[in-house]
Amino acid sequence: MKRILEKFARVLFTGSGFVTSIVILLIIGFLFTEGAGLFRQPTVEEGYVLAVHRSNPIEELTAEELKGLFDNDIVNWNELGGADVAVETFRLEEAERYFTEAELGAHYENAGTAIAGLVASRPGMIAFVPETLVADNDSVRLVGARTITPGEVFAGSEWFPTATPAPLFGMWPLLAGTLWVSLFAILFALPFGLSVSIYMSEVASERVRGILKPIIELLNGIPSVVYGFFGLIVIVPLLQRGFGLPVGESGLAGSIVLAIMALPTIITVAEDAMRSCPRALREASLALGATRWQTIYRVVIPASASGITSGVVLGIGRAVGETMAVLMVTGNAAIIPHSILEPLRTIPATIAAELGEAPAGGAHYQALFLLGVMLFFITLAINLCVEYISAMNRTKNS
């Protein structure tokens, strides 16, 4: 009977591990497939085209150039290598400014001919209209459609997925915001976490340690939204008054909240690493005449460096992947931050805020999955660092 139970348990555990591995691989494959689909999407919004005068030599336009044209930042075609002609833009919702209801038709049945005639009569005009209106009209020329390129995505400086006629999926502001907040969070959390772990491991009595350790570990169980509310109600107003900011929601607020959230991980792992330092090392240091504090920072900390580093890296992982608390206190401005006091937006916060509004299968939807791929690689790099440090620690202790 015992052998049967052992065999059943072995099969159960093996099957569970196999199924879990397959599910993880399927999730990763789905994530990569959806994210890579962004580079097959056209720059211009699907179902629409850009019509220009037949004499216009421009063959292709990037998303940033289109934004400049329709936002009136580019006012002459010679700025894009075309003729010296002023730029005029046209959108379908502006049709009533140029045509009467009779000219358009009761159901817009004459709109295509009217718009094509308008563009054909104005050399500087570019019209953003549905493809069905002007696709077969020979009096205008359509600017060639191109697909979104990796350079526009990974090196782009603007995230504006709802822009028309061409959405902007520049991910650099989101990546910079994520790394910026995480870096300052660790800079804040590391000295405090290391100080508390040293106190608990080397200074505090067993009674004090028995009280503090469960309390610190309990902080890991507090929902992130509670930390977000605390930051929104307490930290944000303090920063706004202390630094004279127009709004307190900033990268600094996010960093402080993330530092508080990372502290339990850093303290717990670092304290366990220091308590694992061999007692013989402490006694040898004291026997040679070193003081208690000299023993701590010259013997215990160097001997526990691998474990302390692992705690710091795990704390970074907590900070990088956090969503709700950061979403509530950083201001959610998708711009490249030049100061920690400016509002910013992180990758997890962007995914959480926009995924519910993105049409399934569209460019915006796939761009959010691509952000998930980037976050996956960041987390993978952090985990590999932890494994490398742990392997070094095992080799050193063996």
Side-chain angles (χ1 to χ4, degrees):
M1 184 66 180
K2 183 178 181 181
R3 290 183 178 179
I4 296 175
L5 290 176
E6 289 178 352
K7 186 176 181 180
F8 175 76
R10 186 166 59 251
V11 172
L12 179 64
F13 293 149
T14 303
S16 299
F18 178 76
V19 172
T20 302
S21 300
I22 293 297
V23 170
I24 292 174
L25 290 175
L26 289 175
I27 292 173
I28 294 174
F30 174 74
L31 185 68
F32 276 74
T33 302
E34 290 291 334
L38 176 64
F39 302 120
R40 296 190 295 269
Q41 294 283 354
T43 300
V44 180
E45 187 177 343
E46 189 173 358
Y48 286 78
V49 293
L50 297 167
V52 296
H53 193 273
R54 295 197 65 82
S55 64
N56 194 323
I58 303 297
E59 296 292 337
E60 288 185 343
L61 292 168
T62 66
E64 291 186 354
E65 289 171 343
L66 286 171
K67 183 178 183 296
L69 287 170
F70 283 84
D71 287 352
N72 297 322
D73 295 327
I74 299 176
V75 296
N76 196 296
W77 285 105
N78 60 14
E79 299 179 47
L80 301 176
D84 185 12
V85 180
V87 173
E88 292 184 84
T89 59
F90 176 87
R91 301 174 192 262
L92 186 60
E93 55 267 28
E94 301 171 349
E96 294 182 357
R97 289 174 47 193
Y98 296 92
F99 311 106
T100 65
E101 185 177 348
E103 290 174 325
L104 293 173
H107 302 286
Y108 269 50
E109 63 270 15
N110 301 324
T113 304
I115 293 172
L118 176 67
V119 175
S121 65
R122 303 198 180 196
M125 179 166 281
I126 178 171
F128 173 62
V129 293
E131 183 178 7
T132 54
L133 293 182
V134 296
D136 299 326
N137 199 304
D138 295 332
S139 61
V140 297
R141 188 175 62 81
L142 302 184
V143 175
R146 53 177 292 184
T147 56
I148 298 172
T149 64
E152 293 174 345
V153 174
F154 297 116
S157 60
E158 190 169 358
W159 175 267
F160 194 178
T162 58
T164 55
L168 297 170
F169 297 110
M171 296 182 179
W172 177 239
L174 309 180
L175 179 61
T178 302
L179 298 179
W180 197 241
V181 169
S182 302
L183 172 63
F184 277 89
I186 294 304
L187 290 179
F188 296 150
L190 181 57
F192 289 102
L194 190 58
S195 300
V196 174
S197 60
I198 291 173
Y199 172 76
M200 291 179 58
S201 173
E202 306 296 325
V203 179
S205 63
E206 286 296 325
R207 181 181 178 184
V208 173
R209 180 178 176 275
I211 296 173
L212 287 179
K213 191 171 179 66
I215 294 175
I216 292 173
E217 291 177 346
L218 183 63
L219 294 176
N220 269 328
I222 298 177
S224 60
V225 68
V226 176
Y227 285 107
F229 272 119
F230 171 77
L232 197 61
I233 295 172
V234 178
I235 297 176
V236 167
L238 286 176
L239 294 178
Q240 186 175 4
R241 291 194 297 268
F243 291 94
L245 303 174
V247 291
E249 289 87 352
S250 60
L252 181 58
S255 297
I256 294 174
V257 172
L258 287 182
I260 296 172
M261 297 178 69
L263 275 175
T265 301
I266 296 175
I267 293 172
T268 301
V269 177
E271 190 258 346
D272 290 341
M274 284 187 281
R275 286 182 66 85
S276 299
C277 179
R279 183 177 179 181
L281 292 178
R282 294 184 176 88
E283 293 176 348
S285 176
L286 294 172
L288 291 172
T291 64
R292 187 176 189 181
W293 292 108
Q294 288 175 328
T295 300
I296 291 173
Y297 73 80
R298 291 189 175 181
V299 177
V300 177
I301 292 179
S304 310
S306 297
I308 294 172
T309 307
S310 297
V312 173
V313 174
L314 289 172
I316 294 174
R318 176 74 187 272
V320 169
E322 181 51 48
T323 301
M324 187 53 65
V326 178
L327 182 65
M328 297 173 68
V329 301
T330 55
N332 288 315
I335 56 175
I336 298 177
H338 298 94
S339 166
I340 194 63
L341 297 176
E342 296 178 0
L344 49 79
R345 181 186 286 186
T346 65
I347 291 176
T350 302
I351 296 173
E354 298 183 6
L355 188 58
E357 301 175 357
H364 187 190
Y365 180 84
Q366 292 171 334
L368 294 176
F369 271 90
L370 190 60
L371 285 176
V373 172
M374 293 178 62
L375 194 62
F376 169 80
F377 278 113
I378 294 173
T379 307
L380 179 63
I382 293 172
N383 290 337
L384 290 176
C385 289
V386 173
E387 291 295 329
Y388 177 73
I389 294 169
S390 300
M392 288 181 56
N393 192 30
R394 287 194 297 269
T395 302
K396 183 177 179 180
N397 293 333
S398 60

